Amino acid sequence: MNGGLRMTGGVAHAPSRATRMVILGVIGLVFAVPIVAMVEFTLRKGLEGGYDAARWIALFQNGFTGVYKTVFVGLSNSVTLAVGTVALVLLLLVPTMLLVHIRFPQFRRVLELVCILPISIPAIVLVVGLAPVYAVIARMFGSGVWTLAFAYGITVLPFAYRAIQSNLDGVDVKTLSEAARTLGAGWGTVLLRVLVPNLRRGILAGAFIAVAVVLGEFTIASLLNRINLQTALVVVSKTDPYTAVILSLLALSFAFLLLLLIGRLGASPRRSRSPRSSKGTL
C-alpha cells in the first residue's frame, strides 16, 4: 500500500477502500453543505430566532399561485428544452462521430476542435453572436422558448462530445460495423442495433450533462428574453427570497429525480437469473 493506492508489481491500481470512502465523503460534503444551508435558511423564523416550517406550509397551502406560478412555467420550459437539446445533440453528434471514426478518421481532429470550441466562448459573447440569428429564427419559426434548444445544443456540445468520445475510444466500432455489414445488416441496423448499444454509457453520460446544463442555464435565456427555470427563480427572489430558495430546493429535487429516471431508463436490463436444474451424468 502506498499513498492509499494498491501496488501490484510496482504499478498503482485502484485506490483502497478507505481512500475511496474519503473521496466520496469530501464530494458528499461539497454537495451537502450548500443544500443544508438552504434548508436552514428557509426554516428561520426571523429576528425572534428559532425554526419552523411556516413558509413551506404557506407555500403549499396557497397552491403556488400568483408570482410563484412563473416557476412552474419556467420549469416546464426547461424540461422541454432539456428534452429538445438532448435529442438535437445526440441525433446529430452520434452519427457524425461514428461516420468520422469509421470512414473519415483524418477529420477526427477537425471535428474535435469544432465540438470543443464553444467551451472557450463566454455565454454572453455567444448570445451577442446568436442575437442576429435568433432575429431570423423569430421571423421564420416564431419566438417560442423551444428555439433556445439550438443555442443550448451549442453550449452542451463540448461536454457531450467528450463523454461519447471517451466511450467510443474503448469500442472497436470499425470491426463491429464491418462484421455486421458482412452478415447483411444495413447501415440503419448497424447504427441502432450494433453500435448504439455499445455506446450506451457514453450517450447516457452526454444526456446527463446536457440535462444538468440546460436546467441550470441562466445567461442565454435572460439575454434573449426567454423564461426558463433560472430566470423564473430570479423573478421570485425579488419579491420573496425565502420562497425562492424553497422553490430552488424543489427544483433541485426534481432535477435529481429526472436524472435518476434517465439513468434507470438507460441502464442495461437485468438478466433474469432463474436457477437451472442440472442433472448429473455418469
Side-chain angles (χ1 to χ4, degrees), residues 13-81:
H13 292 283
S16 64
R17 181 179 178 85
T19 304
R20 292 198 302 268
M21 295 300 294
V22 170
I23 294 174
L24 291 176
V26 172
I27 295 175
L29 285 175
V30 170
F31 285 97
V33 170
I35 294 175
V36 172
M38 293 171 68
V39 174
E40 188 271 340
F41 177 75
T42 61
L43 297 177
R44 292 179 187 175
K45 278 188 176 181
L47 296 178
E48 63 273 15
Y51 299 95
D52 60 19
R55 296 187 182 92
W56 288 80
I57 296 173
L59 179 62
F60 284 98
Q61 284 181 344
N62 294 333
F64 298 93
T65 57
V67 68
Y68 310 130
K69 193 174 181 180
T70 308
V71 176
F72 288 94
V73 176
L75 180 59
S76 63
N77 290 341
S78 291
V79 172
T80 302
L81 287 169

Side-chain angles (χ1 to χ4, degrees), residues 19-280:
T19 304
R20 292 198 302 268
M21 295 300 294
V22 170
I23 294 174
L24 291 176
V26 172
I27 295 175
L29 285 175
V30 170
F31 285 97
V33 170
I35 294 175
V36 172
M38 293 171 68
V39 174
E40 188 271 340
F41 177 75
T42 61
L43 297 177
R44 292 179 187 175
K45 278 188 176 181
L47 296 178
E48 63 273 15
Y51 299 95
D52 60 19
R55 296 187 182 92
W56 288 80
I57 296 173
L59 179 62
F60 284 98
Q61 284 181 344
N62 294 333
F64 298 93
T65 57
V67 68
Y68 310 130
K69 193 174 181 180
T70 308
V71 176
F72 288 94
V73 176
L75 180 59
S76 63
N77 290 341
S78 291
V79 172
T80 302
L81 287 169
V83 174
T85 302
V86 169
L88 182 66
V89 170
L90 296 184
L91 289 177
L92 293 177
L93 184 61
V94 174
T96 303
M97 292 179 66
L98 289 173
L99 180 63
V100 170
H101 198 85
I102 297 172
R103 289 291 186 88
F104 307 104
Q106 66 272 20
F107 294 122
R108 178 176 172 179
R109 295 300 179 188
V110 178
L111 178 63
E112 181 177 5
L113 177 63
V114 172
C115 291
I116 299 298
L117 186 61
I119 201 173
S120 63
I121 303 175
I124 189 168
V125 176
L126 189 63
V127 173
V128 172
L130 289 174
V133 178
Y134 268 85
V136 177
I137 292 176
R139 288 196 299 268
M140 296 178 61
F141 304 105
S143 57
V145 70
W146 65 270
T147 57
L148 283 181
F150 299 115
Y152 288 168
I154 298 174
T155 304
V156 305
L157 188 60
F159 310 104
Y161 173 82
R162 291 311 310 166
I164 298 172
Q165 185 62 47
S166 61
N167 192 181
L168 189 60
D169 289 336
V171 178
D172 191 356
V173 294
K174 189 171 184 179
T175 301
L176 289 174
S177 61
E178 289 178 354
R181 291 287 292 169
T182 302
L183 295 173
W187 281 113
T189 303
V190 172
L191 177 63
L192 298 178
R193 302 187 62 180
V194 178
L195 299 182
V196 169
N198 284 279
L199 298 175
R200 183 189 296 110
R201 289 187 178 181
I203 293 173
L204 185 60
F208 275 162
I209 297 173
V211 171
V213 170
V214 172
L215 292 180
E217 203 285 323
F218 171 78
T219 306
I220 296 176
S222 176
L223 294 178
L224 291 178
N225 296 320
R226 304 297 198 276
I227 297 176
N228 68 350
L229 177 61
Q230 300 303 320
T231 57
L233 289 175
V234 170
V235 172
V236 174
S237 67
K238 294 179 180 179
T239 58
D240 188 350
Y242 293 100
T243 303
V245 174
I246 293 175
L247 294 172
S248 298
L249 287 169
L250 295 176
L252 187 63
S253 302
F254 174 80
F256 175 77
L257 293 176
L258 183 62
L259 293 176
L260 186 62
L261 177 62
I262 294 175
R264 289 288 184 180
L265 294 176
S268 58
R270 295 181 179 179
R271 297 179 179 177
S272 58
R273 297 179 179 178
S274 58
R276 296 181 179 178
S277 59
S278 58
K279 295 182 180 181

